Amino acid sequence: MHKTTVVRVGFLGALLAAFVLWTGASPAWAADNQSPVTIRYAPMKGITSIGFWFGNAKGFFSRAGITLTLVDVKDPIPALVSGDLDMAEANTSQVITACSRGAKIKMVSSLYRTRAGWLLVGGKGINSIAELKGKTVGIGTKGSGLDISVRETLVQNGLDPNKDVTLSVNGRHQQAYASLESGQVAATIIHQPFATMAEENGVGKILAKTWKYIPDFHTGVIVASDTFITENPEAVRRMLQVYFEVNRYVKDPAHRDEFLAWSATFLHMDRAMLEKALALDAELWENNPNIDLKQLDATQDLQIKWGMQTQKVDASKYVDLRFIPKQ
């Protein structure tokens, strides 16, 4: 049994009705007379899944008859396999590896974006990738997509990651930011909003949007256990429907102010800085639920290239797209 932190969601009744009237929102699923479903769900944290967190707080899921039990786990795969979890947001390569080893789970949709918003940020005095030669570069976590993105970005800018720099495991998010700020690394791969924070606070300079160097590296999927898919197909379908309704809603310029105001409070960030952070990788917000099998192949090719996967598998066996929204 996996240790989890559980938060139950299923309130805001009167507020939701007022919200619908105030926004004029009337998504297709809101008018349906649908029976209640309960889903144990593990979302990604922070800005990575800010659309989901907004939709959850504003009652989009509750209004669609979905009661979410949010489960906080470091790695959702074991919890899905053990039956402690029904659905989760996860790293694509991690899911492929788990499935190839027999995990009874399926990728049922891409996330709202399929490429990760990882940025290579140089510390003080570093203004170009070329200047990293002979320096230490943070890779976040060894063997991860972060690691691959650093290596590919360096290679495509004329640096050999095995000879020209020293790669350092320096953690993620705040930990990676702190290593850059302290000078422990000359540059690091990092998520938003920390890249924008580095520039705004004079800690560093954004050197590269790494997704430009690995455009076909698929990084995010929604997964469900085989058992849950078999026993609750309607719950899977409705969860995906609302997930993408929410992410389209928050991307709509008509809802920008509402979304930014809520997100700044939720993330404890200055609104202007948050707006810059979100704008930098807005191009990634594709809201396309389809999983491109060619991207899964390209992802595995990169994993194999850098010694993080031994052989390619037929990833199509681990994909079930019957439930993705059709509109």
Side-chain angles (χ1 to χ4, degrees), residues 89-129:
E89 299 169 14
N91 297 322
T92 308
S93 55
Q94 179 185 14
V95 175
I96 292 174
T97 299
C99 288
S100 70
R101 293 173 178 170
K104 301 300 182 182
I105 59 178
K106 293 291 188 298
M107 294 178 273
V108 293
S109 169
S110 288
L111 292 180
Y112 68 95
R113 67 185 189 189
T114 60
R115 296 173 292 165
W118 301 321
L119 297 119
L120 184 63
V121 180
K124 293 179 181 178
I126 302 294
N127 296 299
S128 70
I129 294 175

Side-chain angles (χ1 to χ4, degrees), residues 16 20 25 31 37-39 76 112-113 145 172 189 200 206 213 229 241 251 258 265 276 288 305 320:
L16 299 181
V20 174
V37 297
T38 298
I39 302 173
Y112 68 95
R113 67 185 189 189
R172 305 172 67 179
I189 190 70
E200 293 295 307
I206 294 173
Y213 297 97
I229 290 172
Q241 179 74 25
K251 193 178 181 183
E258 175 197 9
T265 299
K276 289 181 181 178
N288 181 2
K305 175 181 178 179
D320 186 345

Side-chain angles (χ1 to χ4, degrees), residues 12-35:
L12 300 175
L15 178 59
L16 299 181
F19 174 72
V20 174
L21 291 173
W22 173 61
T23 61
S26 183
W29 46 261
D32 292 346
N33 181 18
Q34 303 185 81
S35 59

Side-chain angles (χ1 to χ4, degrees), residues 36-219:
V37 297
T38 298
I39 302 173
R40 295 170 300 170
Y41 189 79
M44 291 183 178
K45 298 178 182 178
I47 201 171
T48 301
S49 285
I50 193 63
F52 167 83
W53 289 105
F54 172 89
N56 176 48
K58 293 293 185 177
F60 278 63
F61 296 95
S62 296
R63 191 162 69 249
I66 300 172
T67 296
L68 291 177
T69 299
L70 300 187
V71 183
D72 183 5
V73 289
K74 185 175 181 180
D75 181 356
I77 306 302
L80 284 163
V81 172
S82 69
D84 293 336
L85 195 57
D86 301 316
M87 299 181 69
E89 299 169 14
N91 297 322
T92 308
S93 55
Q94 179 185 14
V95 175
I96 292 174
T97 299
C99 288
S100 70
R101 293 173 178 170
K104 301 300 182 182
I105 59 178
K106 293 291 188 298
M107 294 178 273
V108 293
S109 169
S110 288
L111 292 180
Y112 68 95
R113 67 185 189 189
T114 60
R115 296 173 292 165
W118 301 321
L119 297 119
L120 184 63
V121 180
K124 293 179 181 178
I126 302 294
N127 296 299
S128 70
I129 294 175
E131 293 175 21
L132 294 176
K133 188 169 184 177
K135 304 290 196 307
T136 299
V137 179
I139 58 171
T141 306
K142 186 175 176 58
S144 66
L146 294 163
D147 188 356
I148 287 176
S149 70
V150 171
R151 293 171 185 270
E152 280 295 317
T153 300
L154 292 174
V155 164
Q156 293 180 47
N157 281 276
L159 294 180
D160 185 334
N162 296 318
K163 297 178 180 179
D164 294 330
V165 300
T166 299
L167 299 179
S168 172
V169 174
N170 65 326
R172 305 172 67 179
H173 307 299
Q174 292 95 335
Q175 188 177 354
Y177 184 86
S179 71
L180 186 72
E181 188 175 33
S182 67
Q184 177 186 338
V185 295
T188 189
I189 190 70
I190 204 164
H191 294 75
Q192 288 286 39
F194 297 100
T196 295
M197 287 173 58
E199 290 205 325
E200 293 295 307
N201 296 334
V203 170
K205 174 184 175 64
I206 294 173
L207 304 177
K209 297 177 177 180
T210 64
W211 61 87
K212 299 291 187 181
Y213 297 97
I214 50 172
D216 295 324
F217 189 76
H218 197 292
T219 59

Side-chain angles (χ1 to χ4, degrees), residues 237 240-241 244 248 289-290 321-327:
R237 183 200 67 79
L240 297 181
Q241 179 74 25
F244 284 98
R248 284 193 292 270
N290 185 52
L321 300 179
R322 290 176 294 161
F323 310 104
I324 62 174
K326 303 303 181 184
Q327 57 185 17

